[in-house]
Amino acid sequence: MKGEFVEENNSVNSNKEQKIKEQFLDEAFKKVEIKHGIRKTDEKKSKKITYEKKFPKLCILLIIIAIIVWISINYVPWGYIKYDTGSSEMELSINRDFILSNESGKAIDTNVSKNITNLFSKPYYLGLSTNDFSDTPKLAENSIIVLIVLCILITIFWAIDKIFNFSAEIFIVVHFVITTTVIVPCMFIILSVSKFVGAQILIYYNSHFITAKILTVAFPVAFVLIILGFVTIRLIFTVIKIDFKEMQKLLKTGVTETMTFR
Amino acid sequence: MTKIFVERVRKITILIFLSSLISLIFISILPCFAIEDIEGNIIYYNIESIKNSDDKEIKTLFETLNLIVISNWVLIIFTLLSFIGTILIISNKYSNIAKIIMLMVCANIIFSALSVVLSWNLIKSTGEINNAHFPFILSGIAINYQYIPFISFAFSLFGSILYLIIVSNFYFKYFMGFKKQKKIEKKPSKEKKAPSESLKQEVKVFVNKSIPQKTTSVPQQPSVSKKEESFEGYIQEDHADSEQYPVPERRLQTRKDLIPDEEPVDVKGPYEKPFEKDIEPDKPKQEEYPEKKEQEIPSPFEKALSSAVEKRQLSENKVEELPKQSPLKKRLSIRCPECKNIFTVEKEEGVLETKIECPKCGRKGVIKQ
């Protein structure tokens, strides 16, 4: 059998060729996908759980922190003093605004209250003044307000997201930025309260200069707030880590998507 | 690469943050210096107790401490910014903002170095004040309280140096890579612009010549021009195949079978038969090919694509032809030994001997399997 080439219409030929070219390219891509395992990633992509925009738990965390801080500011004594009157020992607690109260409910001797007020009137020996007892709670309260504002911001953003449906990346980034900002009021709380701890150390060193017969001095709120501040920072770091992981997951899927279409 | 970078940066940022936070707490808690009074008693002071002092030397001490506190706060804000920068890097969005933030945060080395220097100055200047003592943890143990924040400053400085090295190294590599990419992109775009259009045309011609094949049962002597076209097409195609893809076996057979021209009877497959015309090309036509090849050099991709298209069309032809041919019959082109006429004969498979007769001269013969 002998063959010969027969000239065809160029337009028909070119259309055919074009179609065949396209088919071939499609098949070639499929083959490449099979060879390089892109198909597998596609399967993974299909299996992958998409990022669910849940209500941020950080809000609940912030509200809990704010409530605890507020309770500890108002109901836990800022100072606790064991005073030796000579005949007996007296346990005194100092509330915010430097109001002295007796634990046993007995009336406080004027001399005792004078001595204690004198102790905190000059901050030379302890680094703590009576003003600090009123200023620090205010600062802590302001920090609580900041925490609540941040909480509201997250909630508003979550509500807006329900309407506008932002991308997962934007949602995580905004959540992350607000979470990071929470560290600042926490630090304010810790540092404003740390002077009370410093005062306790100075009392130990400068006790021979204190004329009043003070047996023990403690600042419970300061310790509570410092511990709370550190716990909050630790929790925020956990939230940050979770956000990082979520974002990295999104990044992984993003890479496969771009690879598929390259 | 980015993941490792982000992970390292995150760890270093945590180190800087914690060290500056601890140093801030130490500064506000621990006594910063001590003074011996006339009686020989030592009074310890911390940052809060020297806040309202009238003494000049003590005031300078307080200012130094205040500067340390401010620089530490700046460090903390920078670390928070660094966290935001890292999440922006991971998100692949706002990458420019992320770059600016990360490079800006590199300035934390200035503040950490400043706090180290100031802390060292504080230790030095404390010794110069009259009646001043270092605030020792216990009177008997010579461990200065001032060294504790100093150590944490040193940690933050170490972290800042690491941060600077890692971030600058990453972005230096990134910018270098970016420049290289730009250069690479520029080069082929210049090269491609000119040949791509000519190649397209060339491929079109090439495909048109080589692909559309139709078989005729008993062809007469083909015209010279058609011979040329077919021959060129197949040589080009084979050339294209040889670069990237293996040549199909059948086509190789046709190329090999071009040599035994003088044999009286050629038995070939159905797809080799069209090429049999090409068996007898004129020599000058063969010589023309290299010149054309020099003129029209298709790109490897275009060659591969065209060869693939050709294969596809051949396979389609095959599909079209297969129903026409009975599976048991085989078409053979036979040359008459007497009149040299070439004609086709259908030979049934499995039959040992088939009697044939030349349609031109009438010579009879037998085809043996």
Side-chain angles (χ1 to χ4, degrees):
Chain A
M1 192 181 79
K2 287 274 180 180
E4 73 174 359
F5 293 105
V6 180
E7 294 289 333
E8 287 181 13
N9 254 349
N10 272 339
S11 61
V12 177
N13 266 345
S14 62
N15 281 336
K16 272 187 177 178
E17 285 159 22
Q18 197 61 37
K19 278 180 184 175
I20 292 163
K21 272 183 184 178
E22 281 170 9
Q23 272 183 356
F24 172 72
L25 285 171
D26 287 344
E27 281 172 18
F29 271 118
K30 280 173 190 172
K31 278 177 189 172
V32 168
E33 279 179 357
I34 292 158
K35 276 180 186 174
H36 295 277
I38 298 168
R39 272 278 172 87
K40 282 179 186 176
T41 55
D42 282 350
E43 281 165 21
K44 272 184 188 176
K45 201 175 80 181
S46 62
K47 280 177 188 175
K48 190 204 149 246
I49 306 155
T50 50
Y51 180 74
E52 287 177 24
K53 290 172 190 172
K54 290 174 189 171
F55 180 77
K57 288 170 188 172
L58 187 74
C59 280
I60 301 158
L61 177 77
L62 291 180
I63 287 166
I64 291 166
I65 291 160
I67 290 164
I68 294 168
V69 171
W70 186 79
I71 288 166
S72 51
I73 285 168
N74 290 304
Y75 296 101
V76 178
W78 279 84
Y80 171 82
I81 295 166
K82 214 175 195 179
Y83 193 86
D84 186 17
T85 52
S87 56
S88 62
E89 285 177 3
M90 191 182 277
E91 284 178 5
L92 293 168
S93 61
I94 306 165
N95 291 342
R96 60 182 294 183
D97 304 323
F98 205 75
I99 300 162
L100 291 168
S101 60
N102 196 347
E103 290 288 303
S104 55
K106 287 177 186 175
I108 302 162
D109 191 10
T110 47
N111 281 332
V112 174
S113 63
K114 259 189 184 178
N115 283 334
I116 292 166
T117 314
N118 283 335
L119 182 68
F120 292 104
S121 61
K122 290 173 187 174
Y124 302 127
Y125 299 134
L126 299 178
L128 202 68
S129 64
T130 46
N131 291 332
D132 288 327
F133 282 90
S134 56
D135 291 343
T136 313
K138 280 176 189 171
L139 215 150
E141 274 176 350
N142 290 335
S143 303
I144 290 169
I145 291 163
V146 174
L147 287 176
I148 290 164
V149 166
L150 287 171
C151 174
I152 291 163
L153 273 176
I154 294 173
T155 317
I156 289 167
F157 178 72
W158 180 73
I160 292 167
D161 181 64
K162 286 275 173 192
I163 302 160
F164 292 101
N165 196 18
F166 298 117
S167 65
E169 285 95 346
I170 290 170
F171 188 84
I172 292 169
V173 165
V174 172
H175 182 262
F176 185 87
V177 169
I178 295 167
T179 311
T180 320
T181 320
V182 173
I183 293 172
V184 178
C186 287
M187 279 192 63
F188 266 109
I189 291 170
I190 291 169
L191 292 173
S192 64
V193 157
S194 60
K195 65 176 80 165
F196 287 88
V197 182
Q200 201 151 9
I201 293 167
L202 284 187
I203 284 171
Y204 169 76
Y205 282 112
N206 300 336
S207 55
H208 49 273
F209 288 98
I210 300 164
T211 49
K213 292 170 183 176
I214 293 167
L215 299 170
T216 321
V217 177
F219 302 99
V221 175
F223 283 98
V224 169
L225 291 183
I226 284 173
I227 290 162
L228 200 71
F230 274 111
V231 168
T232 314
I233 288 170
R234 179 72 190 89
L235 287 170
I236 284 161
F237 272 113
T238 314
V239 175
I240 285 170
K241 205 178 179 182
I242 290 164
D243 278 351
F244 263 113
K245 279 183 180 175
E246 291 285 349
M247 193 63 97
Q248 275 171 350
K249 271 182 196 174
L250 287 172
L251 184 79
K252 274 178 192 173
T253 54
V255 168
T256 53
E257 276 167 16
T258 49
M259 274 184 73
T260 320
F261 295 108
R262 265 176 202 172
Chain B
M1 177 76 178
T2 316
K3 199 184 169 185
I4 298 162
F5 166 73
V6 165
E7 200 58 36
R8 279 180 186 172
V9 166
R10 198 176 67 86
K11 280 176 184 173
I12 291 163
T13 313
I14 289 168
L15 172 76
I16 298 167
F17 174 81
L18 287 177
S19 56
S20 23
L21 176 67
I22 288 163
S23 57
L24 265 179
I25 292 165
F26 279 148
I27 284 169
S28 56
I29 286 176
L30 298 177
C32 55
F33 85 110
I35 289 177
E36 193 178 355
D37 67 348
I38 307 157
E39 292 172 357
N41 295 320
I42 295 166
I43 309 169
Y44 283 75
Y45 292 95
N46 66 7
I47 190 168
E48 290 295 325
S49 54
I50 61 166
K51 202 187 256 180
N52 300 316
S53 176
D54 299 327
D55 195 285
K56 277 185 183 177
E57 285 170 332
I58 293 169
K59 256 191 175 180
T60 50
L61 268 181
F62 175 71
E63 279 165 8
T64 315
L65 281 166
N66 220 13
L67 271 172
I68 291 169
V69 169
I70 290 164
S71 61
N72 271 283
W73 266 106
V74 174
L75 272 176
I76 284 164
I77 289 161
F78 271 0
T79 52
L80 299 181
L81 280 173
S82 171
F83 279 127
I84 293 164
T86 45
I87 199 87
L88 288 175
I89 288 170
I90 298 171
S91 71
N92 276 340
K93 284 186 175 182
Y94 321 109
S95 56
N96 286 329
I97 300 168
K99 268 179 225 164
I100 292 163
I101 289 170
M102 297 303 279
L103 291 171
M104 195 179 76
V105 172
C106 286
N108 61 9
I109 195 165
I110 298 165
F111 294 97
S112 51
L114 184 76
S115 50
V116 168
V117 170
L118 287 171
S119 177
W120 186 249
N121 274 343
L122 185 81
I123 294 164
K124 267 191 167 184
S125 58
T126 309
E128 288 166 5
I129 299 169
N130 287 332
N131 301 322
H133 281 260
F134 292 113
F136 294 117
I137 289 171
L138 291 167
S139 54
I141 303 164
I143 297 170
N144 192 345
Y145 269 125
Q146 290 172 337
Y147 285 117
I148 296 167
F150 180 77
I151 291 162
S152 60
F153 294 144
F155 269 108
S156 69
L157 179 66
F158 174 69
S160 302
I161 291 164
L162 277 179
Y163 187 92
L164 181 72
I165 290 164
I166 288 168
V167 171
S168 56
N169 191 32
F170 177 78
Y171 280 110
F172 180 73
K173 278 180 185 173
Y174 174 81
F175 286 123
M176 291 303 282
F178 189 70
K179 272 189 177 179
K180 273 183 185 177
Q181 264 192 351
K182 269 196 170 180
K183 277 182 185 175
I184 292 160
E185 279 171 9
K186 276 180 185 176
K187 276 184 184 176
S189 63
K190 282 178 185 174
E191 285 169 5
K192 274 180 185 176
K193 271 181 186 175
S196 59
E197 288 171 7
S198 64
L199 275 171
K200 275 179 187 174
Q201 288 173 354
E202 186 197 322
V203 168
K204 272 184 183 176
V205 174
F206 160 61
V207 169
N208 281 337
K209 283 175 185 174
S210 60
I211 295 162
Q213 299 167 28
K214 283 187 178 176
T215 51
T216 49
S217 60
V218 184
Q220 296 302 313
Q221 293 257 331
S223 65
V224 178
S225 64
K226 278 178 184 173
K227 262 186 189 175
E228 280 174 28
E229 282 177 349
S230 62
F231 187 71
E232 271 177 33
Y234 277 100
I235 285 179
Q236 278 191 343
E237 181 223 345
D238 283 339
H239 177 72
D241 283 348
S242 64
E243 283 194 0
Q244 285 189 343
Y245 298 97
V247 183
E249 281 181 17
R250 281 180 182 173
R251 215 160 288 159
L252 280 171
Q253 281 172 5
T254 56
R255 293 296 303 275
K256 283 172 188 172
D257 292 345
L258 293 175
I259 306 155
D261 256 356
E262 293 161 9
E263 284 177 17
V265 177
D266 293 329
V267 180
K268 292 173 182 177
Y271 300 103
E272 283 77 13
K273 280 157 198 170
F275 313 137
E276 211 158 322
K277 278 185 183 176
D278 309 332
I279 290 164
E280 302 153 7
D282 295 329
K283 280 181 181 175
K285 305 283 156 40
Q286 272 185 325
E287 286 165 2
E288 277 174 19
Y289 168 67
E291 289 168 10
K292 286 193 175 180
K293 196 185 164 190
E294 281 173 11
Q295 287 169 359
E296 302 165 348
I297 306 162
S299 71
F301 176 73
E302 293 288 353
K303 282 174 188 173
L305 185 63
S306 59
S307 67
V309 169
E310 192 192 334
K311 279 174 212 167
R312 177 64 57 82
Q313 284 203 345
L314 278 170
S315 64
E316 278 179 3
N317 287 339
K318 203 196 286 179
V319 174
E320 283 170 10
E321 280 175 16
L322 278 171
K324 289 176 189 174
Q325 295 171 357
S326 62
L328 295 168
K329 284 182 179 180
K330 204 175 182 181
R331 278 189 169 185
L332 303 170
S333 66
I334 292 154
R335 182 184 284 171
C336 176
E338 202 171 298
C339 65
K340 308 287 181 189
N341 180 34
I342 298 164
F343 58 96
T344 52
V345 168
E346 283 190 347
K347 184 184 175 290
E348 281 183 10
E349 277 185 0
V351 180
L352 293 170
E353 285 183 359
T354 312
K355 285 180 181 180
I356 52 161
E357 193 179 338
C358 177
K360 200 177 178 183
C361 64
R363 184 173 169 162
K364 288 178 182 175
V366 172
I367 304 168
K368 288 181 181 178
Q369 204 170 27

